[in-house]
Amino acid sequence: GENVEQHPSTLSVQEGDSAVIKCTYSDSASNYFPWYKQELGKGPQLIIDIRSNVGEKKDQRIAVTLNKTAKHFSLHITETQPEDSAVYFCAATRGFDRGSTLGRLYFGRGTQLTVWP
Amino acid sequence: ETGVTQTPRHLVMGMTNKKSLKCEQHLGHNAMYWYKQSAKKPLELMFVYNFKEQTENNSVPSRFSPECPNSSHLFLHLHTLQPEDSALYLCASSQDWSEQYFGPGTRLTVT
């Protein structure tokens, strides 16, 4: 099955700086890569995702890049704010086949991001 | 109410107890999932239901028993659990197999 590695496990930045979290995956057939943010006491929340037919996607201060050749993808947060502090998870999946395990999400171990004011 | 809700939010149970976790999704999705989240580990997929039919049981011990009476509700029945089963249990739903939306979780402590 798919293996997703995520680094770093912890990341501390000053408010206003940028933060980058990187993930690698093993299954070259994976084609969908979501990122989740989990705040204390809450479930993971989908914040951005990217499909394998694009190399980059942006949504305000967050962006995700994908390098299919190298099988890695990254989350970029610019102008960080204290409310960005949370655990971030990357995930990968092959796709959308109903009734099969091909659509199963494989998660990284998470990155604890702390933004200091 | 919108999104994915879970009850109870916190549960403490003894190893001989029987309890159930409940999940409800208000998003019109047709797939629902149970995950286990333990410290320092990736999210562990436990069960998947698609159109009320269980399509995956990820080698979960029989002391965990899922039930999906309809596409909006999902239960996890618990009995004779072990202390190592203490974790955050998350429910999620999706319309297809990728964009999963999570509930807030049930923090389970087995004493």
Side-chain angles (χ1 to χ4, degrees):
Chain A
E2 172 70 279
N3 181 44
V4 177
E5 299 284 342
Q6 182 173 348
H7 299 280
S9 57
T10 60
L11 179 60
S12 293
V13 299
Q14 201 73 32
E15 183 177 2
D17 288 349
S18 296
V20 180
I21 302 170
K22 299 181 179 181
C23 289
T24 61
Y25 60 98
S26 61
D27 186 352
S28 57
S30 287
N31 56 16
Y32 175 71
F33 308 90
W35 284 89
Y36 287 85
K37 174 184 181 183
Q38 186 173 22
E39 297 177 75
L40 199 61
K42 298 184 179 180
Q45 178 186 11
L46 180 68
I47 56 171
I48 195 168
D49 55 18
I50 191 168
R51 299 176 194 268
S52 59
N53 58 346
V54 298
E56 184 176 4
K57 183 177 179 181
K58 288 184 179 180
D59 183 3
Q60 299 182 340
R61 294 187 297 108
I62 60 173
V64 57
T65 58
L66 171 65
N67 183 325
K68 288 187 296 183
T69 303
K71 289 189 282 188
H72 67 70
F73 56 112
S74 301
L75 177 71
H76 304 253
I77 306 175
T78 59
E79 301 173 26
T80 53
Q81 301 167 3
E83 50 265 40
D84 294 329
S85 297
V87 179
Y88 291 81
F89 293 94
C90 63
T93 183
R94 275 189 169 192
F96 314 109
D97 289 353
R98 279 167 44 174
S100 79
T101 60
L102 294 183
R104 174 180 172 177
L105 277 177
Y106 293 84
F107 287 87
R109 289 176 177 265
T111 296
Q112 173 68 62
L113 172 65
T114 302
V115 180
W116 299 99
Chain B
E1 192 168 7
T2 59
V4 181
T5 58
Q6 289 186 244
T7 55
R9 294 295 308 277
H10 301 272
L11 178 62
V12 179
M13 60 185 290
M15 289 190 284
T16 59
N17 291 158
K18 290 185 180 181
K19 296 287 184 182
S20 295
L21 309 184
K22 179 182 176 182
C23 175
E24 184 173 0
Q25 59 97 359
H26 310 270
L27 300 169
H29 291 163
N30 54 22
M32 297 187 77
Y33 312 75
W34 279 117
Y35 286 88
K36 177 183 179 182
Q37 187 175 36
S38 305
K40 309 295 184 184
K41 288 186 177 182
L43 280 162
E44 300 174 52
L45 180 64
M46 300 175 71
F47 300 104
V48 182
Y49 277 84
N50 183 25
F51 293 100
K52 301 184 297 180
E53 295 182 7
Q54 184 176 314
T55 58
E56 184 160 347
N57 175 340
N58 197 30
S59 302
V60 180
S62 60
R63 56 186 184 269
F64 294 92
S65 175
E67 179 190 0
C68 188
N70 55 61
S71 59
S72 298
H73 294 85
L74 185 64
F75 295 89
L76 188 63
H77 303 298
L78 316 171
H79 67 97
T80 58
L81 294 191
Q82 305 298 311
E84 59 264 30
D85 296 322
S86 299
L88 181 69
Y89 288 85
L90 291 161
C91 173
S93 72
S94 68
Q95 180 56 31
D96 54 35
W97 289 97
S98 57
E99 296 174 353
Q100 295 182 22
Y101 293 86
F102 286 83
T106 295
R107 173 67 63 185
L108 174 67
T109 302
V110 181
T111 60

